[in-house]
Amino acid sequence: MAIVDMSKFHLMSFGYDRDLLLRDLQRFDYVHFDDLQVEDDEAYAALNEVEVPESITEINEELARANWAIDTLSPYKVKLGMITEMKLGQKSLTLDQLNNRAQEFDFDHSFEELKGISDQKTALLQEKTNLESQLDELSPWTKLSLPVNDLYGFDKVKAMTGFIADKYVANLEKDLIDLKETYLEKVDSVDGNSYVLLITTNEEYDELAEILRKNAFTQTRINAKSSVKDEISDNAIRQEKIDSELKVLEDKIESRAYLLENFEIYHDYLDNKKTQIAASENFLSTSKVDIIEGYVPTKKEEEFKNLLTKVLGEDYYLEINPADRDDANVPIILENNAFAEAYENTTAMYSLPKYNEIDPTPLLAPFYAFFSGMMVGDLGYGLLLFIITFIGLKAFNLKKSQRNFFKFLMYMGFFAIVWGLIYGSFFGGVIEMPKLINQETDSMTLIIISLIFGAVHIFFALGIQAYMDFRDGKPLDALFDVGFWYMILIGLVLMIAAGPLGLPAIVGEISKWAAIIGAIGIVVTGGREAPSMGGKIAGGIYSLYGVTSYIGDFVSYLRLMALGLSGGFIAVAVNLIVKMLFGAGIAGIAGGIVLFVAMQAFNMFLSYLSAYVHTARLTYVEMFNKFYEGGGKPFRKMIKESKFFNIINENE
């Protein structure tokens, strides 16, 4: 239950072995490369950064084609339903199986065939769009009986078509009275516009044009070869034919849906191939030799050496040693037992630990489960979540990350059961149960318990810091940064509690002096890293001022009580309303059942959401800031995580 020990390696191998080496290192997976850079130094004069081959560009183009094929076929994938899909899970493949299936797949032929069908479909859809647009243009001219192909071809007269706002038509007709050789026909009125046909002679054309401009006339040309009615009829016939042809093409694409998995496999094959080739960007090289640095888990060191010998024979130089604890570049892998593993994502959301820190996951896990359960505090809510997640873990084929999330929720449900038994709450009191603590009457007890849990949490976090100081050979730091705080905090708590608890006077006196000694110690040592005496004193006084933040920390733990009370009282209120509805006959009973299920489900959701968020806050703010810095780099494996498959590492 810790950060996995790492070994740092320095490797020199011949450049002509690079492709084979990267291929087998990707299968091995547990190697993290340092990104080596050429420095401005004579020692680096003969070294160059390895340039990624042009094949990466080709792979990117292939990936784009594979993505297009996946997007095209995905809508035709048979939908199995969420429960069935979770039960089946993602198909598991080893990297070799993935590569073999990808190489057996005739990607180019299948892609070109699918692309050809899709291009035909696109062309037909574009034609249909054009026809629909033409239909919109023609529809106002349906009542025009003249053949359009002859309309614009007269020699001695000119025909004009267009539209004008209805409100200007009367004014236009008035302006045209003096034009004796001009004919106006109002064809139709659509959406506040009048569509009109104008016929005039060449002699009156210019005068007509001016009148039309003054009346905001918009000239349009009717796009038809015969009469408008015939054109619309032909348009409709062609659209029906296009729809029929589109259906045939849709069926052809759907009939190729079985290729979707092959395209997904080919996509992941390309993605991993790209990762493999791009890894060489981290290397330096001479004209013949590659210089490689990185990390492997110490427990896989022998396996790593055997792989190099298998691939490179004797033609390599390797230096490998335990990684420096204070090296900020050491990548991090967390390894925990089944319980703590469920909380690794909680740590990762904050930040992975540095290599010289400890993994906080197993330390936060019991507190997180216990506190979140207290915030929910209902047997019914706990049983529901526990049963659902337990069945999910047994029945569903889940990825590791999904399993950890289900376990996280299951533990939250289990401790909600524990606290539900303590509070005697089953869906807010649907069933009467014995109560160890009554939320309605024992509010002061809950406040005291919450503060005690907060004190344990904070003192535990400080204790971790003391442990790290002793581990790193700095016992005085443990005394200065933890011991004095223990003295002042415990001293102040006992001074305040001695009277109400009826403790002997000597206890209060000892507590007072312990707090005073702790305060003096903090003032004297809190600014010890400052270069000047004034800085040391100011730093010490400022450190002592930090006692006020501890007051805020303790008060934060009252949320353990408050959230449990709020969720419990909402559940009780729902039950009271439902009870009243049950007295209103059959309709009331039916409505009450619906209300009970809906509101209890909603309250359960809010309770767990609040517990998740506020327990994380207590962990990150009140616990982590006492000992944990974080900032570690995640170990970068060479096998890319897939969204389509569960790619199994044979070395695990």
Side-chain angles (χ1 to χ4, degrees), residues 160 164 168 172 175 206-218:
M160 300 172 66
I164 182 173
Y168 296 141
L172 175 62
D175 289 345
D206 291 339
E207 192 174 351
L208 173 62
E210 179 60 26
I211 292 171
L212 294 176
R213 184 192 64 76
K214 187 173 65 173
N215 285 277
F217 172 80
T218 301

Side-chain angles (χ1 to χ4, degrees), residues 134 137-138 140-142 144-163 185 187 195-200 202 205 208 212 217-228 231:
Q134 182 188 28
E137 293 174 3
L138 290 175
W141 304 101
T142 306
L144 185 66
S145 57
L146 295 173
V148 177
N149 53 348
D150 296 331
L151 192 61
Y152 302 108
F154 298 118
D155 292 330
K156 296 184 179 180
V157 296
K158 293 185 181 295
M160 300 172 66
T161 52
F163 60 89
E185 179 182 340
V187 178
Y195 287 79
V196 299
L197 166 66
L198 290 151
I199 299 176
T200 188
N202 292 334
Y205 176 77
L208 173 62
L212 294 176
F217 172 80
T218 301
Q219 185 172 355
T220 59
R221 188 177 181 89
I222 302 173
N223 186 22
K225 295 179 180 178
S226 56
S227 70
V228 173
E231 196 73 27

Side-chain angles (χ1 to χ4, degrees), residues 67 187 209 224 249 351 375 390 396 415 525 598 603:
N67 275 319
V187 178
L249 293 175
S351 181
M375 290 182 189
F390 182 79
F396 297 153
F415 280 93
T525 64
N603 189 43

Side-chain angles (χ1 to χ4, degrees), residues 31-224:
V31 60
H32 175 106
F33 295 116
D34 271 346
D35 185 12
L36 300 180
Q37 304 288 331
V38 174
E39 297 183 13
D40 201 8
D41 190 290
E42 289 185 9
Y44 289 83
L47 297 178
N48 299 295
E49 295 177 10
V50 174
E51 294 184 3
V52 177
E54 292 182 3
S55 56
I56 283 286
T57 303
E58 297 174 5
I59 291 175
N60 284 332
E61 292 172 355
E62 287 284 276
L63 271 171
R65 296 168 74 202
N67 275 319
W68 176 87
I70 291 168
D71 291 341
T72 300
L73 292 176
S74 290
Y76 303 96
K77 184 178 180 180
V78 177
K79 305 300 181 184
L80 299 175
M82 185 178 70
I83 300 297
T84 305
E85 284 195 356
M86 291 183 71
K87 189 173 181 179
L88 293 174
Q90 290 183 326
K91 183 177 288 188
S92 294
L93 296 168
T94 66
L95 185 63
D96 283 342
Q97 288 173 332
L98 183 82
N99 292 341
N100 290 337
R101 285 195 57 180
Q103 289 163 6
E104 290 168 1
F105 177 49
D106 191 348
F107 172 76
D108 288 331
H109 173 74
S110 298
F111 174 83
E112 292 301 335
E113 195 175 56
L114 182 63
K115 186 71 165 60
I117 298 169
S118 179
D119 286 346
Q120 292 178 55
K121 178 183 171 183
T122 301
L124 286 175
L125 287 171
Q126 182 59 54
E127 184 182 352
K128 185 176 180 180
T129 300
N130 294 339
L131 288 172
E132 289 171 349
S133 177
Q134 182 188 28
L135 183 62
D136 289 340
E137 293 174 3
L138 290 175
S139 58
W141 304 101
T142 306
K143 296 176 182 178
L144 185 66
S145 57
L146 295 173
V148 177
N149 53 348
D150 296 331
L151 192 61
Y152 302 108
F154 298 118
D155 292 330
K156 296 184 179 180
V157 296
K158 293 185 181 295
M160 300 172 66
T161 52
F163 60 89
I164 182 173
D166 288 341
K167 60 184 178 181
Y168 296 141
V169 172
N171 191 61
L172 175 62
E173 291 174 339
K174 181 181 176 182
D175 289 345
L176 293 178
I177 290 175
D178 295 334
L179 298 182
K180 304 301 181 183
E181 298 178 345
T182 297
Y183 167 75
L184 169 68
E185 179 182 340
K186 182 178 176 182
V187 178
D188 206 349
S189 179
V190 179
D191 296 332
N193 289 316
S194 291
Y195 287 79
V196 299
L197 166 66
L198 290 151
I199 299 176
T200 188
T201 60
N202 292 334
E203 289 77 11
E204 291 187 351
Y205 176 77
D206 291 339
E207 192 174 351
L208 173 62
E210 179 60 26
I211 292 171
L212 294 176
R213 184 192 64 76
K214 187 173 65 173
N215 285 277
F217 172 80
T218 301
Q219 185 172 355
T220 59
R221 188 177 181 89
I222 302 173
N223 186 22

Side-chain angles (χ1 to χ4, degrees), residues 371-378 381 419-420 422-425 427-429 435 437-450 557-574 600 603 606-607 610-611 614:
F371 288 169
S372 61
M374 184 178 179
M375 290 182 189
V376 177
D378 187 276
Y381 294 171
W419 278 99
I422 293 172
Y423 291 150
S425 175
F427 290 110
K435 305 176 188 291
I437 300 174
N438 192 324
Q439 290 177 294
E440 297 178 22
T441 59
D442 298 336
S443 56
M444 185 53 65
T445 302
L446 284 171
I447 289 173
I448 293 170
I449 289 174
S450 298
Y557 288 88
L558 292 179
R559 70 190 66 224
L560 296 173
M561 172 202 70
L563 288 170
L565 286 176
S566 63
F569 287 155
I570 290 172
V572 169
V574 170
Q600 290 286 7
N603 189 43
L606 288 182
S607 295
S610 298
H614 287 280

Side-chain angles (χ1 to χ4, degrees), residues 506-537:
I506 187 65
V507 174
E509 191 67 18
I510 293 173
S511 300
K512 180 182 72 174
W513 283 106
I516 291 171
I517 293 170
I520 293 171
I522 290 170
V523 171
V524 171
T525 64
R528 62 186 181 276
E529 294 181 358
S532 65
M533 182 57 66
K536 293 179 189 294
I537 295 171

